[in-house]
Structure formats: C-alpha cells, structure tokens
Amino acid sequence: MYISDTIAAISTGMNNSGIGIIRICGEDAFKIASRVFCMPSGKVPDPFDSHRVYYGFIKDGEETIDEVLLIALKAPKSYTREDTVEINCHGGNLVMRRVLITVLNNGARLAEPGEFTKRAFLNGRIDLSKAESVTDVINSENEYALSNSIKQLTGKLTEKIVSLRDKIKYEIAYIESALDDPEHYDLDGYYDSLLGTVDEIYDELIKLKKSFKEGRIISEGINTVIIGRPNVGKSSLLNILTGEDTAIVTDIAGTTRDTLKQNITINGLSLKVTDTAGIRDTDDVIEKIGVDKAMESAKDADLIIMMLDSSEEISNDDIKIFDFIKDKQALILLNKSDLDQKTTEADVRKLTQQCIMSISAKDETGIDEFKDKIKEMFIKGSLEYNDEVIITNERHLFLIDNAIKSLDEVKKVIGDMMPEDFVSIDLKNAYEYLGAVIGEQIGDDIVDEIFSKFCMGK
Ligand code: GDP
C-alpha cells in the first residue's frame, strides 16, 4: 500500500452549478472531516460509517460555510483505496473554494492535477492504461471516442496486453528452464513452435499499431478539407453541416479568401473541417495566399471533399484538383443537382477513381447519404459494439512499436539459428515494453509525467 499524506481538491468544474464536490483522500480524511463537519444536532459522527451519506454543515469555527451532504468511504473501498470523504456542497465558485480552504486549513494538502488517479494506480486499483483512459473519458468529444475510452477503462487493452505478455512469459520461462535443466527440457525443434507463437503475437501487435490511425481519428476528429473552384458551393455545404452561417456565401468568385476551421459532428464522428479559398490560378495577391493555404491544408488531410458545380463544364482547374487528390482519401461531391446538368457522374468518372456523389446544397438533397458515406469510410463496422481494441495514446504506440522491433530481433535470431539465450533477451525486451503499457516496470518520472497531464481534482 502506498502511504501518503492527505490531499483535497475540488473535483467538479469551476463554474456555477447545482452541486460541487470536494474530495479528501488519505489517512487523515475522517479526522479532517470531523473537524469541519457537523450534523444538524451539532454532533459529529464518531466514527463515520463507511458508504453512508450524512446531512449537515461545513463549519469554519463558529461560521457555517454551507449546507452539505458528506459521503464517507473507508479504505480500501474507494477510488484511491484510501480513506475518502466527498463533500457535496453547493456548486458556486466561491462556496466551493471556501469549503476547500476550510478543509486545507484543517490538515489537508491541495492535490496535484491527477493525484487521486495516480494514487489509484500506485495502490493497485487500476493499471496505467486504465488510468490514462480516465482523462480520455473526460476529454471525449464524440460518442466513438467515449465508447473507446470506456472500453479501455474497463480493461480491454489491459486484457489484450496481459494475454500477449503471458504467452511471451511462458516462452521465456521455457527457455530459461531448458538452459538450466537440459536433461528434462528438450530444445530440439523448439524454434519451429516458438516461431509460430511469435508470429501470432507479432500479428496482434501490428493490428494494435495500425489501430492508432483510426484511434487518432476517433479521438481528435477527421482532419477534413473542402476543396474546389470558387462558387461551386463549398461555403454553402459547410453552412449546412455546421447549421450556422459561419462561412460567407456570395456569388462573387473568390469570396472565401482565407481558410475557415470548424468542428462539426456527423453521425457521432468529429470532423475538423477547413473550408478553403477557391483553388484556381489567380493573380490577386490576397487570394493567392488563400489558394496556397488551401493546397497546404489539403496535403495532410485525412479526408478531402472536392466539390464540383454540375451546372458547369469541367474546367482545367478541376482537372488540376483531380490530379492533386488522386492518391488521397477523397470524396467528390457534384453539387447543384437542382440545376440543369452540364456535368454528370459519368463525366467525372472518366477523370477519377474516387467516390462520386450528387448533392444539392441549396435543396439539401443527398446530404444524409454523404454523411453516411463518411461514417462508412472511417468506421469499420459498428465500433460501439465490436470488441476490437483501439489504441489512441502516443505512449502506447511507442511501446508497442518497440515490442514489435524486439520480436523482429527474435525472428532474426531464430532465422539465423543462434543460441536460445539470445532469443530470451529479445523476448524479455518485448515483455518489458508491453509491461510499460499497463504500468509495470515503469519509472517514477514517467508516472509523474503521465499524471501531470490530468485535470485538477481527478
Ligand atoms: P464557394 O465559393 O465554393 O464557397 O461557393 P458558395 O457556397 O459561396 O456558393 C456560391 C453560389 O452558389 C451561392 O450563390 C450559392 O447560393 C450557390 N449555390 C450553392 N450550392 C448550390 C446548389 O446546390 N444549387 C444552387 N442552385 N445554387 C447553389
């Protein structure tokens, strides 16, 4: 058990709301509670019963600070596994601070950001990848990110890592035993079976590594750029998607001179959309800056939405854009389907292999199909119901990547038929890298670094 002093912090947001929670954790949590709390009779519970809610008042000497509900949670049945008191006071900024200061004046220390969760980790209640997912749950901006963080919080990533480590551990133990006791363990033909196991683990790790891209898209949003000649309807589309008049819509070519960024949610997915200046050859200096920016933002985009005006012929500018997006993840929208068509889907098909859809930003037709298509492009199956583990954390990616490299070495050693103790070293490396994902064999400095990114009171 990690022994520490008693900490306190406001665990709810610092904006006026119905209820605010001040959390106190550590050896002296109940002692401090008995100094600042009393029931309406004036009595102080002695002792506090665990998992019971008490009604009463927070007092600073003779002064009543607030009317509260106090919850007592005895170790180890609490978030941190330490004695914990949660004071539910009124959620005003000032009153929450007054309660906190009273608690601090009576013996608690102000908690560092993430310190409660750090204690939960150090006391073995949650492993590191679960602790990290607590922040992800709080920061989730869309339903996919949330469902993935909850999955991680309930231990899906841990389960996967533990099962892979168990397989590696078995092989390490086998090799070590065989080297120690050659009479009872036979290493003849062992490399064949080891290679099978290593390949299996390797494939699983590669799958996890690849999931990072999807994970990043889910947690951070799809970096989307709307691109197309002036006047094709880019701003109109953005306005439909955001439901506001964010972009200026006019029929003067080149109105959208700068790039606009918007966060929008489509079918539960976040899109970070950039509406670019119309891409075309231009001598106008200000507009030129916008055009360059458009190309620049489109270069690193996860998704390019290219718009065409179907009431006009395809121009040389459009052909240039087709060329620019040919190797990218893109969707072609043939806009203004409400007007007479001079360009059809068949005409566009001759110029590109990308998905083409007809819409009218004016009548808002084809928009639902367009939204469904985006979901289909980025989410494989129904993410909220499948069991696939997705990694979203750079630290996990780094460690998994290193575990993969260690297994590459194992394969090389097997291929070269080098002695077993060489294999053992690389297997141990892979084992340790994976251990670091869930917080085994990890230094205090890294633990401090991870928890310092947490918000206050968590
Ligand atoms: P941008 O320059 O590509 O951003 O184009 P805008 O969104 O500013 O639209 C240019 C003009 O086309 C505006 O007058 C819009 O009202 C019009 N427009 C946009 N979409 C449609 C559409 O689907 N049908 C019709 N008829 N007009 C449209």
Side-chain angles (χ1 to χ4, degrees):
M1 183 81 178
Y2 167 79
I3 309 277
S4 57
D5 55 353
T6 301
I7 53 172
I10 299 170
S11 282
T12 42
M14 286 304 285
N15 44 1
N16 287 352
S17 55
I19 293 170
I21 298 178
I22 283 81
R23 196 192 252 159
I24 315 167
C25 273
E27 267 189 327
D28 291 337
F30 294 124
K31 215 186 276 174
I32 293 168
S34 66
R35 288 181 196 138
V36 301
F37 175 80
C38 68
M39 295 185 285
S41 61
K43 282 191 185 152
V44 176
D46 185 23
F48 282 95
D49 292 331
S50 190
H51 292 75
R52 184 167 160 192
V53 181
Y54 292 92
Y55 167 70
F57 301 94
I58 295 295
K59 295 262 189 188
D60 184 4
E62 287 307 303
E63 189 190 356
T64 301
I65 307 291
D66 197 12
E67 181 189 29
V68 302
L69 289 176
L70 180 148
I71 303 165
L73 303 159
K74 281 212 170 112
K77 290 189 175 172
S78 70
Y79 182 61
T80 62
R81 285 201 169 154
E82 297 166 314
D83 283 345
T84 297
V85 169
E86 288 189 1
I87 300 169
N88 287 236
C89 62
H90 289 98
N93 236 315
L94 182 62
V95 71
M96 286 193 291
R97 266 190 293 178
R98 284 294 307 274
V99 173
L100 176 65
I101 288 167
T102 309
V103 167
L104 297 178
N105 286 342
N106 280 277
R109 165 174 70 74
L110 184 64
E112 307 275 336
E115 196 169 0
F116 293 102
T117 310
K118 180 174 165 184
R119 288 183 176 201
F121 163 65
L122 293 172
N123 288 327
R125 203 186 77 84
I126 50 175
D127 69 54
L128 199 53
S129 77
K130 283 189 195 167
E132 285 169 314
S133 65
V134 171
T135 322
D136 293 343
V137 169
I138 294 170
N139 292 336
S140 292
E141 284 181 6
N142 64 64
E143 59 180 281
Y144 291 104
L146 180 61
S147 102
N148 192 51
S149 318
I150 295 280
K151 234 186 252 172
Q152 198 168 316
L153 183 63
T154 53
K156 290 281 179 222
L157 178 62
T158 309
E159 265 171 40
K160 172 122 270 165
I161 297 290
V162 167
S163 90
L164 296 177
R165 286 186 95 215
D166 281 350
K167 285 184 192 164
I168 299 175
K169 190 163 72 181
Y170 176 86
E171 301 301 338
I172 298 171
Y174 190 88
I175 295 170
E176 304 276 317
S177 311
L179 294 175
D180 278 356
D181 184 7
E183 278 176 35
H184 293 95
Y185 289 88
D186 188 4
L187 283 172
D188 273 355
Y190 168 68
Y191 272 178
D192 285 341
S193 82
L194 176 64
L195 193 59
T197 311
V198 169
D199 279 341
E200 244 174 63
I201 301 169
Y202 192 87
D203 290 349
E204 293 277 346
L205 290 177
I206 293 284
K207 226 161 84 186
L208 276 179
K209 182 179 168 179
K210 283 192 180 154
S211 77
F212 183 73
K213 186 161 182 244
E214 193 176 350
R216 187 187 62 74
I217 280 172
I218 288 170
S219 58
E220 290 175 15
I222 303 166
N223 200 350
T224 308
V225 173
I226 307 179
I227 206 169
R229 280 191 296 131
N231 257 7
V232 292
K234 297 183 297 298
S235 310
S236 307
L237 176 73
L238 189 67
N239 289 346
I240 296 175
L241 298 178
T242 55
E244 300 164 19
D245 273 352
T246 20
I248 320 148
V249 183
T250 68
D251 45 13
I252 306 157
T255 317
T256 320
R257 289 196 160 168
D258 206 339
T259 54
L260 281 170
K261 261 196 198 287
Q262 283 290 306
N263 271 328
I264 56 171
T265 307
I266 289 183
N267 291 344
L269 272 173
S270 299
L271 264 69
K272 285 187 290 184
V273 183
T274 310
D275 175 25
T276 63
I279 293 186
R280 59 172 186 168
D281 281 329
T282 172
D283 295 330
D284 179 332
V285 178
I286 303 172
E287 206 178 305
K288 185 90 173 82
I289 296 169
V291 170
D292 291 343
K293 264 197 186 169
M295 288 288 198
E296 196 56 41
S297 0
K299 252 194 333 211
D300 302 322
D302 300 314
L303 170 68
I304 296 174
I305 297 170
M306 173 186 173
M307 291 187 80
L308 290 164
D309 183 341
S310 62
S311 68
E312 291 187 354
E313 309 275 348
I314 292 174
S315 71
N316 284 338
D317 286 332
D318 294 327
I319 292 171
K320 260 190 223 163
I321 301 175
F322 281 127
D323 188 51
F324 174 69
I325 63 169
K326 67 176 183 295
D327 301 320
K328 307 194 186 283
Q329 174 114 301
L331 241 175
I332 318 291
L333 292 185
L334 203 46
N335 190 29
K336 309 199 186 178
S337 61
D338 55 292
L339 299 178
D340 285 342
Q341 306 290 286
K342 287 206 179 121
T343 300
T344 63
E345 287 191 27
D347 298 330
V348 182
R349 179 51 72 222
K350 288 179 200 148
L351 297 164
T352 178
Q353 292 306 307
Q354 313 271 18
C355 173
I356 308 161
M357 304 184 90
S358 284
I359 64 157
S360 164
K362 181 166 166 257
D363 295 348
E364 301 197 13
T365 50
I367 303 296
D368 286 343
E369 291 79 359
F370 157 68
K371 289 179 176 175
D372 288 345
K373 185 73 202 171
I374 291 182
K375 185 168 172 181
E376 187 191 309
M377 285 169 93
F378 287 91
I379 302 291
K380 290 180 219 90
S382 176
L383 197 83
E384 48 293 43
Y385 301 117
N386 75 22
D387 241 10
E388 209 165 302
V389 181
I390 290 173
I391 57 163
T392 51
N393 185 305
E394 297 262 2
R395 193 183 72 84
H396 299 168
L397 177 70
F398 171 81
L399 294 165
I400 286 168
D401 207 27
N402 275 295
I404 291 172
K405 283 182 191 145
S406 304
L407 293 187
D408 270 329
E409 290 300 315
V410 172
K411 290 197 211 191
K412 222 158 85 195
V413 171
I414 295 176
D416 296 346
M417 294 302 279
M418 283 157 80
E420 286 82 5
D421 38 4
F422 283 92
V423 170
S424 179
I425 292 171
D426 294 317
L427 281 175
K428 276 184 197 155
N429 285 341
Y431 183 76
E432 282 177 17
Y433 281 123
L434 293 182
V437 174
I438 52 176
E440 288 190 20
Q441 291 143 328
I442 195 162
D444 288 350
D445 48 342
I446 298 177
V447 170
D448 288 345
E449 159 82 23
I450 291 167
F451 287 99
S452 69
K453 296 197 184 103
F454 274 58
C455 52
M456 203 64 196
K458 190 63 228 171

mmCIF file of all heavy atoms in Angstrom, residues 51-84:
data_model
loop_
_atom_site.group_PDB
_atom_site.id
_atom_site.type_symbol
_atom_site.label_atom_id
_atom_site.label_comp_id
_atom_site.label_asym_id
_atom_site.label_seq_id
_atom_site.Cartn_x
_atom_site.Cartn_y
_atom_site.Cartn_z
ATOM 1 N N HIS A 51 -19.479 4.188 3.435
ATOM 2 C CA HIS A 51 -20.505 4.171 2.397
ATOM 3 C C HIS A 51 -21.848 4.666 2.913
ATOM 4 O O HIS A 51 -22.896 4.089 2.632
ATOM 5 C CB HIS A 51 -20.603 2.782 1.752
ATOM 6 C CG HIS A 51 -19.370 2.460 0.959
ATOM 7 N ND1 HIS A 51 -18.179 2.108 1.563
ATOM 8 C CD2 HIS A 51 -19.129 2.509 -0.364
ATOM 9 C CE1 HIS A 51 -17.259 1.952 0.634
ATOM 10 N NE2 HIS A 51 -17.802 2.189 -0.550
ATOM 11 N N ARG A 52 -21.787 5.706 3.707
ATOM 12 C CA ARG A 52 -23.014 6.305 4.225
ATOM 13 C C ARG A 52 -23.009 7.792 3.886
ATOM 14 O O ARG A 52 -21.944 8.418 3.833
ATOM 15 C CB ARG A 52 -23.050 6.109 5.735
ATOM 16 C CG ARG A 52 -24.326 6.617 6.302
ATOM 17 C CD ARG A 52 -24.539 6.177 7.712
ATOM 18 N NE ARG A 52 -25.515 7.113 8.278
ATOM 19 C CZ ARG A 52 -25.806 7.204 9.542
ATOM 20 N NH1 ARG A 52 -25.197 6.420 10.410
ATOM 21 N NH2 ARG A 52 -26.696 8.076 9.952
ATOM 22 N N VAL A 53 -24.188 8.310 3.616
ATOM 23 C CA VAL A 53 -24.302 9.734 3.298
ATOM 24 C C VAL A 53 -24.816 10.467 4.540
ATOM 25 O O VAL A 53 -25.818 10.055 5.129
ATOM 26 C CB VAL A 53 -25.294 9.957 2.132
ATOM 27 C CG1 VAL A 53 -25.379 11.441 1.784
ATOM 28 C CG2 VAL A 53 -24.882 9.154 0.907
ATOM 29 N N TYR A 54 -24.107 11.496 4.953
ATOM 30 C CA TYR A 54 -24.515 12.297 6.118
ATOM 31 C C TYR A 54 -24.984 13.672 5.662
ATOM 32 O O TYR A 54 -24.351 14.293 4.806
ATOM 33 C CB TYR A 54 -23.318 12.504 7.066
ATOM 34 C CG TYR A 54 -22.872 11.231 7.755
ATOM 35 C CD1 TYR A 54 -21.872 10.440 7.185
ATOM 36 C CD2 TYR A 54 -23.427 10.839 8.965
ATOM 37 C CE1 TYR A 54 -21.447 9.280 7.801
ATOM 38 C CE2 TYR A 54 -23.014 9.676 9.592
ATOM 39 C CZ TYR A 54 -22.021 8.897 9.006
ATOM 40 O OH TYR A 54 -21.610 7.752 9.622
ATOM 41 N N TYR A 55 -26.049 14.142 6.279
ATOM 42 C CA TYR A 55 -26.528 15.500 6.004
ATOM 43 C C TYR A 55 -26.024 16.427 7.116
ATOM 44 O O TYR A 55 -26.023 16.039 8.289
ATOM 45 C CB TYR A 55 -28.057 15.497 5.961
ATOM 46 C CG TYR A 55 -28.658 16.883 5.989
ATOM 47 C CD1 TYR A 55 -28.532 17.737 4.886
ATOM 48 C CD2 TYR A 55 -29.321 17.354 7.132
ATOM 49 C CE1 TYR A 55 -29.057 19.014 4.922
ATOM 50 C CE2 TYR A 55 -29.847 18.637 7.166
ATOM 51 C CZ TYR A 55 -29.712 19.466 6.061
ATOM 52 O OH TYR A 55 -30.212 20.734 6.099
ATOM 53 N N GLY A 56 -25.570 17.607 6.764
ATOM 54 C CA GLY A 56 -25.113 18.516 7.821
ATOM 55 C C GLY A 56 -24.507 19.792 7.259
ATOM 56 O O GLY A 56 -24.873 20.245 6.173
ATOM 57 N N PHE A 57 -23.543 20.340 7.993
ATOM 58 C CA PHE A 57 -22.973 21.653 7.649
ATOM 59 C C PHE A 57 -21.451 21.627 7.703
ATOM 60 O O PHE A 57 -20.863 20.906 8.505
ATOM 61 C CB PHE A 57 -23.491 22.711 8.631
ATOM 62 C CG PHE A 57 -24.991 22.794 8.615
ATOM 63 C CD1 PHE A 57 -25.741 22.063 9.530
ATOM 64 C CD2 PHE A 57 -25.648 23.558 7.664
ATOM 65 C CE1 PHE A 57 -27.127 22.097 9.497
ATOM 66 C CE2 PHE A 57 -27.038 23.606 7.627
ATOM 67 C CZ PHE A 57 -27.781 22.875 8.541
ATOM 68 N N ILE A 58 -20.844 22.443 6.841
ATOM 69 C CA ILE A 58 -19.399 22.659 6.938
ATOM 70 C C ILE A 58 -19.211 23.921 7.775
ATOM 71 O O ILE A 58 -19.820 24.961 7.503
ATOM 72 C CB ILE A 58 -18.757 22.839 5.543
ATOM 73 C CG1 ILE A 58 -18.889 21.556 4.724
ATOM 74 C CG2 ILE A 58 -17.286 23.263 5.655
ATOM 75 C CD1 ILE A 58 -18.141 20.343 5.252
ATOM 76 N N LYS A 59 -18.381 23.788 8.801
ATOM 77 C CA LYS A 59 -18.159 24.910 9.723
ATOM 78 C C LYS A 59 -16.698 25.334 9.695
ATOM 79 O O LYS A 59 -15.800 24.484 9.647
ATOM 80 C CB LYS A 59 -18.478 24.454 11.152
ATOM 81 C CG LYS A 59 -19.913 24.093 11.378
ATOM 82 C CD LYS A 59 -20.603 25.267 12.005
ATOM 83 C CE LYS A 59 -22.005 24.909 12.473
ATOM 84 N NZ LYS A 59 -22.724 26.100 12.912
ATOM 85 N N ASP A 60 -16.496 26.650 9.720
ATOM 86 C CA ASP A 60 -15.141 27.148 9.915
ATOM 87 C C ASP A 60 -15.184 27.838 11.282
ATOM 88 O O ASP A 60 -15.621 28.983 11.393
ATOM 89 C CB ASP A 60 -14.801 28.137 8.794
ATOM 90 C CG ASP A 60 -13.363 28.623 8.897
ATOM 91 O OD1 ASP A 60 -12.637 28.129 9.784
ATOM 92 O OD2 ASP A 60 -12.973 29.495 8.082
ATOM 93 N N GLY A 61 -14.820 27.115 12.311
ATOM 94 C CA GLY A 61 -15.008 27.620 13.673
ATOM 95 C C GLY A 61 -16.498 27.724 13.935
ATOM 96 O O GLY A 61 -17.252 26.756 13.770
ATOM 97 N N GLU A 62 -16.965 28.935 14.269
ATOM 98 C CA GLU A 62 -18.389 29.144 14.564
ATOM 99 C C GLU A 62 -19.183 29.404 13.282
ATOM 100 O O GLU A 62 -20.399 29.291 13.258
ATOM 101 C CB GLU A 62 -18.551 30.358 15.512
ATOM 102 C CG GLU A 62 -18.111 30.093 16.959
ATOM 103 C CD GLU A 62 -18.796 28.857 17.539
ATOM 104 O OE1 GLU A 62 -20.040 28.818 17.566
ATOM 105 O OE2 GLU A 62 -18.065 27.916 17.930
ATOM 106 N N GLU A 63 -18.457 29.776 12.225
ATOM 107 C CA GLU A 63 -19.146 30.199 10.997
ATOM 108 C C GLU A 63 -19.604 28.992 10.160
ATOM 109 O O GLU A 63 -18.832 28.058 9.922
ATOM 110 C CB GLU A 63 -18.194 31.058 10.148
ATOM 111 C CG GLU A 63 -18.881 31.715 8.969
ATOM 112 C CD GLU A 63 -17.879 32.359 7.999
ATOM 113 O OE1 GLU A 63 -16.664 32.350 8.297
ATOM 114 O OE2 GLU A 63 -18.323 32.829 6.956
ATOM 115 N N THR A 64 -20.878 29.031 9.724
ATOM 116 C CA THR A 64 -21.364 27.969 8.838
ATOM 117 C C THR A 64 -21.032 28.361 7.398
ATOM 118 O O THR A 64 -21.397 29.437 6.932
ATOM 119 C CB THR A 64 -22.894 27.797 8.973
ATOM 120 O OG1 THR A 64 -23.169 27.483 10.340
ATOM 121 C CG2 THR A 64 -23.412 26.704 8.067
ATOM 122 N N ILE A 65 -20.320 27.499 6.722
ATOM 123 C CA ILE A 65 -19.910 27.804 5.337
ATOM 124 C C ILE A 65 -20.961 27.337 4.343
ATOM 125 O O ILE A 65 -21.303 28.032 3.403
ATOM 126 C CB ILE A 65 -18.566 27.111 4.976
ATOM 127 C CG1 ILE A 65 -17.490 27.431 5.994
ATOM 128 C CG2 ILE A 65 -18.117 27.449 3.562
ATOM 129 C CD1 ILE A 65 -17.014 28.855 5.977
ATOM 130 N N ASP A 66 -21.500 26.115 4.534
ATOM 131 C CA ASP A 66 -22.505 25.613 3.587
ATOM 132 C C ASP A 66 -23.259 24.437 4.185
ATOM 133 O O ASP A 66 -22.784 23.779 5.119
ATOM 134 C CB ASP A 66 -21.819 25.181 2.267
ATOM 135 C CG ASP A 66 -22.804 25.053 1.104
ATOM 136 O OD1 ASP A 66 -23.963 25.505 1.250
ATOM 137 O OD2 ASP A 66 -22.414 24.508 0.061
ATOM 138 N N GLU A 67 -24.415 24.188 3.598
ATOM 139 C CA GLU A 67 -25.230 23.015 3.926
ATOM 140 C C GLU A 67 -24.813 21.928 2.941
ATOM 141 O O GLU A 67 -24.821 22.175 1.727
ATOM 142 C CB GLU A 67 -26.699 23.409 3.726
ATOM 143 C CG GLU A 67 -27.692 22.348 4.043
ATOM 144 C CD GLU A 67 -29.088 22.775 3.587
ATOM 145 O OE1 GLU A 67 -29.195 23.556 2.611
ATOM 146 O OE2 GLU A 67 -30.055 22.316 4.188
ATOM 147 N N VAL A 68 -24.458 20.747 3.443
ATOM 148 C CA VAL A 68 -23.853 19.758 2.530
ATOM 149 C C VAL A 68 -24.363 18.337 2.777
ATOM 150 O O VAL A 68 -24.994 18.060 3.797
ATOM 151 C CB VAL A 68 -22.303 19.731 2.704
ATOM 152 C CG1 VAL A 68 -21.694 21.093 2.452
ATOM 153 C CG2 VAL A 68 -21.899 19.206 4.082
ATOM 154 N N LEU A 69 -24.018 17.475 1.820
ATOM 155 C CA LEU A 69 -24.107 16.030 2.053
ATOM 156 C C LEU A 69 -22.674 15.525 2.062
ATOM 157 O O LEU A 69 -21.874 15.919 1.205
ATOM 158 C CB LEU A 69 -24.887 15.340 0.935
ATOM 159 C CG LEU A 69 -26.388 15.595 0.891
ATOM 160 C CD1 LEU A 69 -27.001 14.916 -0.330
ATOM 161 C CD2 LEU A 69 -27.068 15.095 2.176
ATOM 162 N N LEU A 70 -22.359 14.684 3.030
ATOM 163 C CA LEU A 70 -20.986 14.180 3.121
ATOM 164 C C LEU A 70 -21.014 12.654 2.973
ATOM 165 O O LEU A 70 -21.824 11.982 3.607
ATOM 166 C CB LEU A 70 -20.394 14.604 4.463
ATOM 167 C CG LEU A 70 -18.953 14.188 4.764
ATOM 168 C CD1 LEU A 70 -18.281 15.240 5.643
ATOM 169 C CD2 LEU A 70 -18.879 12.827 5.449
ATOM 170 N N ILE A 71 -20.165 12.172 2.114
ATOM 171 C CA ILE A 71 -20.091 10.715 1.904
ATOM 172 C C ILE A 71 -18.762 10.211 2.451
ATOM 173 O O ILE A 71 -17.698 10.746 2.111
ATOM 174 C CB ILE A 71 -20.189 10.361 0.397
ATOM 175 C CG1 ILE A 71 -21.478 10.931 -0.171
ATOM 176 C CG2 ILE A 71 -20.131 8.846 0.183
ATOM 177 C CD1 ILE A 71 -21.523 10.958 -1.678
ATOM 178 N N ALA A 72 -18.826 9.191 3.295
ATOM 179 C CA ALA A 72 -17.606 8.617 3.878
ATOM 180 C C ALA A 72 -17.325 7.272 3.212
ATOM 181 O O ALA A 72 -18.223 6.454 3.069
ATOM 182 C CB ALA A 72 -17.810 8.416 5.372
ATOM 183 N N LEU A 73 -16.102 7.081 2.745
ATOM 184 C CA LEU A 73 -15.725 5.818 2.093
ATOM 185 C C LEU A 73 -14.440 5.309 2.744
ATOM 186 O O LEU A 73 -13.383 5.926 2.609
ATOM 187 C CB LEU A 73 -15.493 6.046 0.589
ATOM 188 C CG LEU A 73 -16.666 6.636 -0.200
ATOM 189 C CD1 LEU A 73 -16.186 7.280 -1.489
ATOM 190 C CD2 LEU A 73 -17.694 5.564 -0.506
ATOM 191 N N LYS A 74 -14.557 4.203 3.467
ATOM 192 C CA LYS A 74 -13.365 3.683 4.163
ATOM 193 C C LYS A 74 -12.503 2.862 3.215
ATOM 194 O O LYS A 74 -13.012 2.152 2.357
ATOM 195 C CB LYS A 74 -13.806 2.797 5.329
ATOM 196 C CG LYS A 74 -14.228 3.610 6.530
ATOM 197 C CD LYS A 74 -13.913 2.890 7.836
ATOM 198 C CE LYS A 74 -14.145 3.863 8.976
ATOM 199 N NZ LYS A 74 -15.264 3.544 9.818
ATOM 200 N N ALA A 75 -11.177 2.961 3.409
ATOM 201 C CA ALA A 75 -10.238 2.159 2.621
ATOM 202 C C ALA A 75 -10.550 0.681 2.857
ATOM 203 O O ALA A 75 -10.931 0.319 3.970
ATOM 204 C CB ALA A 75 -8.812 2.479 3.069
ATOM 205 N N PRO A 76 -10.422 -0.203 1.894
ATOM 206 C CA PRO A 76 -9.923 0.089 0.538
ATOM 207 C C PRO A 76 -11.047 0.334 -0.472
ATOM 208 O O PRO A 76 -10.769 0.358 -1.655
ATOM 209 C CB PRO A 76 -9.175 -1.206 0.203
ATOM 210 C CG PRO A 76 -9.985 -2.276 0.873
ATOM 211 C CD PRO A 76 -10.570 -1.659 2.116
ATOM 212 N N LYS A 77 -12.289 0.469 0.010
ATOM 213 C CA LYS A 77 -13.400 0.569 -0.958
ATOM 214 C C LYS A 77 -13.631 2.010 -1.382
ATOM 215 O O LYS A 77 -14.654 2.620 -1.051
ATOM 216 C CB LYS A 77 -14.660 -0.039 -0.364
ATOM 217 C CG LYS A 77 -14.571 -1.546 -0.246
ATOM 218 C CD LYS A 77 -15.887 -2.121 0.140
ATOM 219 C CE LYS A 77 -15.813 -3.647 0.138
ATOM 220 N NZ LYS A 77 -17.011 -4.243 0.679
ATOM 221 N N SER A 78 -12.647 2.579 -2.061
ATOM 222 C CA SER A 78 -12.784 3.945 -2.570
ATOM 223 C C SER A 78 -11.984 4.045 -3.865
ATOM 224 O O SER A 78 -11.260 3.120 -4.219
ATOM 225 C CB SER A 78 -12.249 4.941 -1.545
ATOM 226 O OG SER A 78 -10.848 4.827 -1.466
ATOM 227 N N TYR A 79 -12.095 5.168 -4.542
ATOM 228 C CA TYR A 79 -11.417 5.351 -5.839
ATOM 229 C C TYR A 79 -9.903 5.153 -5.725
ATOM 230 O O TYR A 79 -9.271 4.557 -6.593
ATOM 231 C CB TYR A 79 -11.741 6.763 -6.365
ATOM 232 C CG TYR A 79 -11.159 7.093 -7.720
ATOM 233 C CD1 TYR A 79 -11.520 6.354 -8.841
ATOM 234 C CD2 TYR A 79 -10.269 8.149 -7.882
ATOM 235 C CE1 TYR A 79 -11.006 6.655 -10.090
ATOM 236 C CE2 TYR A 79 -9.742 8.453 -9.121
ATOM 237 C CZ TYR A 79 -10.109 7.708 -10.225
ATOM 238 O OH TYR A 79 -9.595 8.008 -11.459
ATOM 239 N N THR A 80 -9.320 5.664 -4.626
ATOM 240 C CA THR A 80 -7.856 5.576 -4.475
ATOM 241 C C THR A 80 -7.429 4.424 -3.574
ATOM 242 O O THR A 80 -6.255 4.219 -3.343
ATOM 243 C CB THR A 80 -7.298 6.859 -3.839
ATOM 244 O OG1 THR A 80 -7.882 6.984 -2.547
ATOM 245 C CG2 THR A 80 -7.602 8.095 -4.654
ATOM 246 N N ARG A 81 -8.405 3.697 -3.001
ATOM 247 C CA ARG A 81 -8.177 2.669 -1.987
ATOM 248 C C ARG A 81 -7.755 3.251 -0.642
ATOM 249 O O ARG A 81 -7.302 2.539 0.239
ATOM 250 C CB ARG A 81 -7.145 1.631 -2.447
ATOM 251 C CG ARG A 81 -7.704 0.675 -3.468
ATOM 252 C CD ARG A 81 -6.910 -0.604 -3.552
ATOM 253 N NE ARG A 81 -7.621 -1.582 -4.350
ATOM 254 C CZ ARG A 81 -7.048 -2.563 -5.005
ATOM 255 N NH1 ARG A 81 -5.742 -2.707 -4.948
ATOM 256 N NH2 ARG A 81 -7.758 -3.413 -5.692
ATOM 257 N N GLU A 82 -7.857 4.590 -0.497
ATOM 258 C CA GLU A 82 -7.538 5.205 0.782
ATOM 259 C C GLU A 82 -8.842 5.675 1.420
ATOM 260 O O GLU A 82 -9.867 5.768 0.747
ATOM 261 C CB GLU A 82 -6.640 6.431 0.568
ATOM 262 C CG GLU A 82 -5.315 6.100 -0.048
ATOM 263 C CD GLU A 82 -4.616 7.358 -0.563
ATOM 264 O OE1 GLU A 82 -5.271 8.187 -1.224
ATOM 265 O OE2 GLU A 82 -3.434 7.495 -0.308
ATOM 266 N N ASP A 83 -8.775 6.053 2.716
ATOM 267 C CA ASP A 83 -9.948 6.670 3.337
ATOM 268 C C ASP A 83 -10.304 7.906 2.520
ATOM 269 O O ASP A 83 -9.423 8.710 2.190
ATOM 270 C CB ASP A 83 -9.630 7.083 4.786
ATOM 271 C CG ASP A 83 -9.647 5.882 5.727
ATOM 272 O OD1 ASP A 83 -10.162 4.821 5.317
ATOM 273 O OD2 ASP A 83 -9.136 6.008 6.859
ATOM 274 N N THR A 84 -11.578 8.033 2.200
ATOM 275 C CA THR A 84 -12.006 9.138 1.330
ATOM 276 C C THR A 84 -13.279 9.781 1.866
ATOM 277 O O THR A 84 -14.177 9.076 2.343
ATOM 278 C CB THR A 84 -12.275 8.609 -0.097
ATOM 279 O OG1 THR A 84 -11.051 8.099 -0.623
ATOM 280 C CG2 THR A 84 -12.807 9.696 -1.027
#
